[in-house]
Amino acid sequence: SEGARNEAVNIVSTDSCTFAKAKTIDDATNSGSNTYDISDSATAIAAGVGSSSNAISNAGTVKTNTYATVAEATTISGLTKAVTYSVNDTSAALAASGGNSLSEATIVHFSDQANTTQFNTINAATEASLVLLAGIADNVLNYTDANGNATTALTNLNTEDADCVITVNNVANVVQFDAINTKTTSNVILTGGVQDVVAKFAAANGTITASLTAISTQDGDVAITVTDTVNVAQATTIANATIKYVK
């Protein structure tokens, strides 16, 4: 009861409290100390900053048990008290966030598809683990140059989220596809198709290349355009690998 708390010397919570219970303990007028930890939703803790930041600041450890939005993370990160939290929000909201909202987070989830500019901005703002739940989509040169040299964005993407789904919006050549394919254990979606010389797809006797096998596995309806002369064996191999073969 309130009376018992006020007449106590020390109050010790033996398990984690919600913010509301922590505030009740902190509001007591007991003569000694209060010992408690807080574990609650990001929404509750962010709201608690406005109603009783002392209850949070006086806690032992404070952690959220749900993901915070950028707005909630901004509020929580404004505390001098260390709070353990993770963030889940849209790529646009994450990229536009300021202050310590991301830098103090443990994990950052992108709730929708990002582009490489957004990924680069967010990656530079935090040491948190990044998870691109809906993958990433951009033009091929934002992943690799024409010779298959990975951009910083693609290299960092592989480090942060090795099973990220990567969508290429425009046409890629085979060496570019190969470079991108090595940077994810998940799907590569070739929206703009693949264009290259026939030898990149099939040998003169029709033997399929490792690249075409991988392309077909990753995106079975990819549009393949061959830029030089094709023989019958090669044409058959390529046609069998995709439903969208364009000579």
Side-chain angles (χ1 to χ4, degrees), residues 2-15:
E2 180 181 358
R5 289 190 297 273
N6 291 340
E7 293 176 10
V9 178
N10 301 319
I11 300 175
V12 178
S13 174
T14 58
D15 57 2

Side-chain angles (χ1 to χ4, degrees), residues 39-97:
S39 177
D40 208 340
S41 69
T43 299
I45 292 176
V49 173
S51 63
S52 181
S53 61
N54 284 341
I56 299 173
S57 297
N58 292 333
T61 62
V62 182
K63 62 181 180 180
T64 66
N65 54 29
T66 63
Y67 283 85
T69 64
V70 166
E72 290 167 341
T74 299
T75 299
I76 293 168
S77 66
L79 290 165
T80 56
K81 177 71 179 180
V83 179
T84 301
Y85 66 90
S86 295
V87 181
N88 185 332
D89 215 323
T90 65
S91 301
L94 293 170
S97 63

Side-chain angles (χ1 to χ4, degrees), residues 25-219:
I25 294 171
D26 190 65
D27 285 346
T29 58
N30 56 303
S31 60
S33 62
N34 297 329
T35 303
Y36 57 88
D37 298 322
I38 298 175
S39 177
D40 208 340
S41 69
T43 299
I45 292 176
V49 173
S51 63
S52 181
S53 61
N54 284 341
I56 299 173
S57 297
N58 292 333
T61 62
V62 182
K63 62 181 180 180
T64 66
N65 54 29
T66 63
Y67 283 85
T69 64
V70 166
E72 290 167 341
T74 299
T75 299
I76 293 168
S77 66
L79 290 165
T80 56
K81 177 71 179 180
V83 179
T84 301
Y85 66 90
S86 295
V87 181
N88 185 332
D89 215 323
T90 65
S91 301
L94 293 170
S97 63
N100 297 325
S101 58
L102 298 187
S103 64
E104 295 182 6
T106 302
I107 300 170
V108 175
H109 278 183
F110 297 59
S111 63
D112 60 354
Q113 194 174 61
N115 59 43
T116 57
T117 298
Q118 292 168 328
F119 170 77
N120 287 338
T121 298
I122 296 160
N123 189 47
T126 182
E127 295 297 319
S129 297
L130 306 185
V131 181
L132 290 83
L133 298 174
I136 192 166
D138 217 320
N139 292 334
V140 66
L141 289 178
N142 288 316
Y143 301 120
T144 169
D145 67 17
N147 297 316
N149 297 305
T151 62
T152 300
L154 182 60
T155 299
N156 289 340
L157 179 64
N158 175 249
T159 300
E160 290 294 336
D161 191 357
D163 64 351
C164 177
V165 175
I166 299 175
T167 298
V168 183
N169 290 337
N170 59 337
V171 64
N173 65 35
V174 170
V175 72
Q176 289 174 319
F177 164 78
D178 287 339
I180 295 167
N181 193 43
T182 63
K183 296 297 186 181
T184 181
T185 59
S186 191
N187 294 108
V188 177
I189 300 171
L190 298 154
T191 303
V194 181
Q195 177 177 296
D196 218 317
V197 297
V198 66
K200 296 289 188 180
F201 301 112
N205 65 359
T207 301
I208 192 169
T209 62
S211 295
L212 181 54
T213 298
I215 289 167
S216 178
T217 299
Q218 289 286 27
D219 192 347

